[in-house]
């Protein structure tokens, strides 16, 4: 199979030296890439800025901003069999990008932000035969919020988790599928979860092939 995987944070620059971002380490997406490669699949990894060892056999596209990640995803999505959207994408970007550094002053500084492209929702609209698996980061009402995202973004599966997993090697996920099944897993290593997700994608695709859905 051909996997398109996103990982890491995106950055939204306020000026040439300052940006808004989040503490995503990229570990979940990198684990997915390793697990897919380990099963002999092809991997294109669209990766935000992270400090990590990178899987050698993946085709890696480095990006910084949400717009760059969106462009790379739109380009590579048509050839993918499965999208694994593990990136922690910034939801907002400054309305204007300053080309010179914002100078310090004692007056309060107000930043005006606008929403970024929802990459996953956009890709769902372009979906043909691809399997779409998203992640949901929730501080509260984990299952209800994740289910709402799965429906809104028209996903096949969503992996819900909490901010505790952000810069950790472990994760306590809930896997929700479009057919309504819910699987709660205890805390496990991100690589173990990644292997489960790749098997899920393989089984789903095999089933689709048997039913003639992927022709
Ligand atoms: N996502 C995306 N583009 C965005 C924001 C999120 O593709 N601009 C993707 C993430 O990679 C993830 C899924 O959408 O797979 C859900 O992301 P999450 O941050 O949990 O939710 P949001 O859609 O951003 O909603 P909210 O922040 O309100 O919870």
């Amino acid at each position: 199979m051909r996997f398109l995987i996103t990982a890491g944070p995106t950055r939204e620059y306020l000026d040439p030296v300052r940006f808004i971002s989040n503490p995503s380490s990229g570990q979940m997406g990198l684990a997915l890439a390793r697990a897919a490669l380990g099963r002999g699949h092809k991997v294109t990894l669209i990766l935000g800025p992270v400090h990590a060892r990178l899987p050698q056999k993946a085709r890696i596209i480095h990006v910084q901003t949400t717009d760059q990640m969106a462009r790379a995803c739109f380009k590579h999505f048509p050839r993918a069999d499965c999208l694994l959207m593990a990136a922690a994408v910034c939801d907002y970007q400054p309305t204007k990008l300053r080309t010179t550094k914002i100078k310090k002053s004692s007056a309060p500084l107000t930043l005006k932000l606008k929403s970024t492209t929802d990459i996953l929702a956009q890709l769902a609209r372009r979906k043909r035969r691809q399997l779409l698996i998203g992640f949901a980061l929730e501080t509260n009402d984990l299952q209800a919020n994740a289910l709402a995202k799965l429906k809104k973004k028209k996903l096949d599966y969503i992996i819900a988790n909490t901010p505790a997993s952000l810069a950790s090697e472990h994760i306590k996920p809930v896997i929700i599928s479009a057919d309504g099944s819910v699987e709660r897993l205890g805390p496990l290593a991100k690589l173990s979860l990644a292997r489960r997700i790749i098997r899920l994608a393989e089984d789903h695709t095999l089933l689709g092939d048997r039913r003639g859905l992927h022709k």
Side-chain angles (χ1 to χ4, degrees):
M1 287 175 68
R2 285 181 299 241
F3 282 86
L4 178 62
I5 302 174
T6 68
T10 58
R11 287 179 179 174
E12 298 305 330
Y13 280 87
L14 310 175
D15 72 12
V17 293
R18 301 183 181 96
F19 55 82
I20 305 170
S21 191
N22 62 68
S24 167
S25 61
Q27 289 307 326
M28 190 63 237
L30 289 166
L32 287 165
R34 288 200 178 92
L37 290 165
R39 296 279 298 164
H41 299 298
K42 289 211 160 69
V43 172
T44 298
L45 176 63
I46 301 175
L47 184 62
V50 294
H51 298 283
R53 257 180 0 102
L54 304 182
Q56 295 208 330
K57 287 192 192 147
R59 174 178 188 190
I60 301 180
I61 296 154
H62 294 274
V63 297
Q64 291 208 41
T65 67
T66 304
D67 285 346
Q68 290 168 357
M69 183 170 277
R71 277 198 296 276
C73 285
F74 297 158
K75 180 173 173 193
H76 293 280
F77 183 67
R79 294 202 62 223
D81 300 307
C82 176
L83 169 76
L84 299 171
M85 193 79 200
V89 184
C90 283
D91 286 330
Y92 291 96
Q93 63 189 177
T95 49
K96 71 171 184 197
L97 168 62
R98 298 167 209 242
T99 51
T100 55
K101 200 178 157 199
I102 301 168
K103 281 300 184 189
K104 182 169 62 187
S105 118
S106 55
L109 175 68
T110 304
L111 292 173
K112 206 166 176 192
L113 305 175
K114 61 179 179 184
S115 53
T116 55
T117 308
D118 189 320
I119 303 173
L120 191 47
Q122 290 290 326
L123 291 174
R125 291 194 187 161
R126 299 166 188 221
K127 170 177 164 137
R128 295 179 66 162
R129 63 198 154 73
Q130 293 93 342
L131 180 69
L132 296 193
I133 304 183
F135 282 73
L137 188 65
E138 307 294 346
T139 53
N140 54 288
D141 302 317
L142 187 81
Q143 197 171 316
N145 284 339
L147 184 62
K149 270 179 206 173
L150 174 138
K151 288 186 177 156
K152 190 170 163 212
K153 303 199 190 203
K154 298 191 170 56
L155 307 179
D156 296 294
Y157 294 90
I158 196 154
I159 320 293
N161 65 116
T162 66
S165 69
L166 260 184
S168 164
E169 281 182 14
H170 291 81
I171 184 164
K172 192 166 172 276
V174 181
I175 304 177
I176 303 172
S177 86
D179 68 14
S181 74
V182 175
E183 191 182 5
R184 293 175 174 279
L185 300 177
L188 76 172
K190 286 181 175 173
L191 189 57
S192 305
L193 174 61
R195 290 193 179 120
R196 282 185 88 112
I197 294 171
I198 298 303
R199 273 203 305 275
L200 198 72
E202 289 170 352
D203 291 348
H204 191 102
T205 305
L206 199 66
L207 204 68
D209 283 345
R210 285 208 192 116
R211 289 180 184 157
L213 296 178
H214 299 126
K215 298 254 162 70

